[in-house]
Each structure stands twice: as C-alpha cells, then as structure tokens.
Amino acid sequence: MNQKSVKSGVLFAIAAYVMWGLAPMYFKALNEMAAPEIMMHRVFWSVPVLFILLLARRKLGQVIVAILAPKILKTLLVSGFLLAVNWLVFIWAINNDRLLESSLGYFINPLINVALARAFLGEKLTRLQGVAVAVVFIGVVNVLVAYGELPWVSLVLAGTFSCYGLLRKKVAVESMPGLFIESLFMFPFAIAYWIVVQPEHSNLLTNDIELNSLIVLAGVITTVPLLCFTAAARRIRYTTLGFFQYIGPSIMFVLAVGVYKEPIDSTKIFTFICVWAALIIYVYDLLRVYKQAPKI
C-alpha cells in the first residue's frame, strides 16, 4: 500500500465521517415523513445518482463483471442487507429523538472494528485495545442495569456498520460499482413499498418544491459519504479507519444535546464517559504504535 493511496484514504475517511455527522440535520428536515418512507426515497434516488456517476466515469463494465461473479454477488447481497438495516434504524432513531443513542452507537463502532479486524483480518489486538473494549463493555452494562434493556439502537448501528465495512474491505470490487449493486438489491423493495403502501408523500406532484428538493437530494446525501467510506476502507488499515470514526458521532452528540435538546441523564453521561475513555485509550495506543513503527 503506497503512501499516496494511504493519504487519499485518510482524506476520504475524514470527508465521510464529517458528512455522516451532519446527516441528522437533513433527516430532521424530513421529520414529517415516516422512517420507511424516507428509506424508500433514500434507496430510490441513490440508484439513478450512482448510475449517472458510473456512466460518466465509464465503470458500468465493472458492475457487469461483479454481477457475473457469484462470490462477489453473494457478498454484496449480505453487505446490502446490513446497509439497509443500518439506514432504517438510523432514520427511525433520528425521527424519534434518539440521536444520542445513534451517537453512542457510532462511538462504539471503532472498538467493534478492532475486534472484527482481530477476528477476521488477522490484525493483532494490543493490550491497550483490549482494555478499551472492556471499558466500552462496562458502559453498555451500565445502561442494561439502569434501564433493564440493552441500548439496542446503539448496538444495531455499531454492529451492522462494522460488519458492512469488513465485508466491503474484503470483497474484490470498487466502491462505486459495489454500492450500485447493493442499491439494486434494495431497489425492488423500495418500489414495492411505494406501490403497495402508497405513503403520504409518495405523489411528488402534490408536494411543494422544497419537500421534493429534499426528497431528491436523498440520493446525493446517501451516495457521497458512502463512496468516501468504501474508498477509504480499501486504502487504509481497518483499525486505522476506526481512528477517524469519532468525528461523526462527536458532531451528532453536539447536535443532539446542543441543537435538538435531547435529555441526557447520569446513566447516559456515565456510559458516554466510558466510551470516550475507551476512545482516548484506543487513540493513544494507535499513536504509540505509529511512533514506534519504522519509518521508510
């Protein structure tokens, strides 16, 4: 992996997480629509946006090659399912004023990345990384004891996206063709929902221009950060990718508490402190390992 590729991977990672951090502002603007309806538009408008991009960059041939490879197609089917679950839960959480839980999920994500990298990519788990994972576990148990239930929104978002990133790192297909195929897998379900359920805002001719503009923008909002993420995942180590993960949830946390005024009690504060402490340990360990590594 050359230095130029790594640098571009870092820039892609930063761009992806900043955009994801600000994404709740977009979905809040569509708050009058139900989560499945927003999800439907998110999938529907992503397909033409990706098709145009692939056509412009002359990469439609890569889509055909991937479709004709059964192993790649099966992997993208699974990653597409994980992505669909992640999208739907995220939208639902924002619409139901649970942005803090979403933030917590994406704070946990880097530590799950570490565990997955150890289990499936052969990347070694250092002692400090083990400590960081244990501290996050304490924070999750704290919520379980206090509320009598697991923070399912946080765990689903963290788990699905970590597994999605792992699959996309291992599959031999570029980011844009892969995302297009994943979106194609979701597309029939979006169309079926549109026809059968006929949600309130499904007829674009009866909506005002502002709402229709926001709806169509779903394709861009969805596609651009995911393309940046998958491009980053293929250029840098998976554990290094986790280093930038805190950007998105930090922005979400500020939005949840400072802008949308979601309540935060002592239990949530303690859990966030555990997760932030784990991230500090994790980042410190990454920097320590980087400084000790031989420079070429």
Side-chain angles (χ1 to χ4, degrees), residues 39-49 187 190-191 194:
M39 175 72 177
M40 174 194 79
H41 285 294
R42 190 172 189 181
V43 172
F44 182 85
W45 296 106
S46 294
V47 171
V49 169
F187 194 72
I191 295 297
W194 202 330

Side-chain angles (χ1 to χ4, degrees), residues 219-235:
V220 176
I221 296 294
T222 296
T223 302
V224 175
L226 266 171
L227 288 175
C228 289
F229 173 79
T230 50
R234 294 188 61 81
R235 287 170 170 80

Side-chain angles (χ1 to χ4, degrees), residues 103-116:
S103 170
L104 178 61
Y106 290 116
F107 271 125
I108 294 173
N109 200 343
L111 286 310
I112 295 182
N113 287 349
V114 169
L116 291 178

Side-chain angles (χ1 to χ4, degrees), residues 30-239:
L30 293 173
N31 207 35
E32 62 186 281
M33 300 169 62
E37 186 177 359
I38 298 175
M39 175 72 177
M40 174 194 79
H41 285 294
R42 190 172 189 181
V43 172
F44 182 85
W45 296 106
S46 294
V47 171
V49 169
L50 284 166
F51 180 81
I52 293 170
L53 289 172
L54 287 166
L55 189 64
R57 300 186 64 181
R58 299 181 181 179
K59 289 192 174 184
L60 285 174
Q62 294 182 22
V63 174
I64 297 173
V65 171
I67 290 175
L68 295 176
K71 187 175 180 180
I72 292 176
L73 205 59
K74 289 177 182 177
T75 302
L76 291 175
L77 175 61
V78 176
S79 64
F81 171 76
L82 291 170
L83 192 59
V85 173
N86 185 275
W87 283 359
L88 187 58
V89 172
F90 183 63
I91 294 169
W92 179 89
I94 293 171
N95 278 3
N96 287 273
D97 299 322
R98 299 175 76 165
L99 182 53
L100 266 178
E101 291 183 51
S102 301
S103 170
L104 178 61
Y106 290 116
F107 271 125
I108 294 173
N109 200 343
L111 286 310
I112 295 182
N113 287 349
V114 169
L116 291 178
R118 175 68 181 89
F120 297 103
L121 301 180
E123 297 181 11
K124 293 183 179 180
L125 188 67
T126 68
R127 183 180 300 176
L128 285 177
Q129 287 174 347
V131 171
V133 172
V135 173
V136 167
F137 180 75
I138 292 171
V140 172
V141 170
N142 172 62
V143 174
L144 177 61
V145 172
Y147 298 138
E149 63 178 17
L150 287 170
W152 69 269
V153 170
S154 305
L155 295 176
V156 169
L157 289 177
T160 54
F161 199 69
S162 290
C163 292
Y164 172 77
L166 177 66
L167 287 175
R168 287 307 307 268
K169 185 173 180 66
K170 293 176 71 69
V171 69
V173 62
E174 287 191 20
S175 55
M176 196 183 300
L179 181 57
F180 181 65
I181 294 172
E182 290 167 342
S183 300
L184 287 179
F185 280 130
M186 302 182 216
F187 194 72
F189 297 98
I191 295 297
Y193 181 85
W194 202 330
I195 294 173
V196 175
V197 178
Q198 295 185 355
E200 181 182 354
H201 303 284
S202 60
N203 187 352
L204 301 184
L205 297 177
T206 61
N207 298 333
D208 58 44
I209 295 177
E210 182 181 353
L211 180 58
N212 279 342
S213 299
L214 286 172
I215 288 173
V216 174
L217 193 60
V220 176
I221 296 294
T222 296
T223 302
V224 175
L226 266 171
L227 288 175
C228 289
F229 173 79
T230 50
R234 294 188 61 81
R235 287 170 170 80
I236 57 180
R237 282 167 53 94
Y238 202 52
T239 46

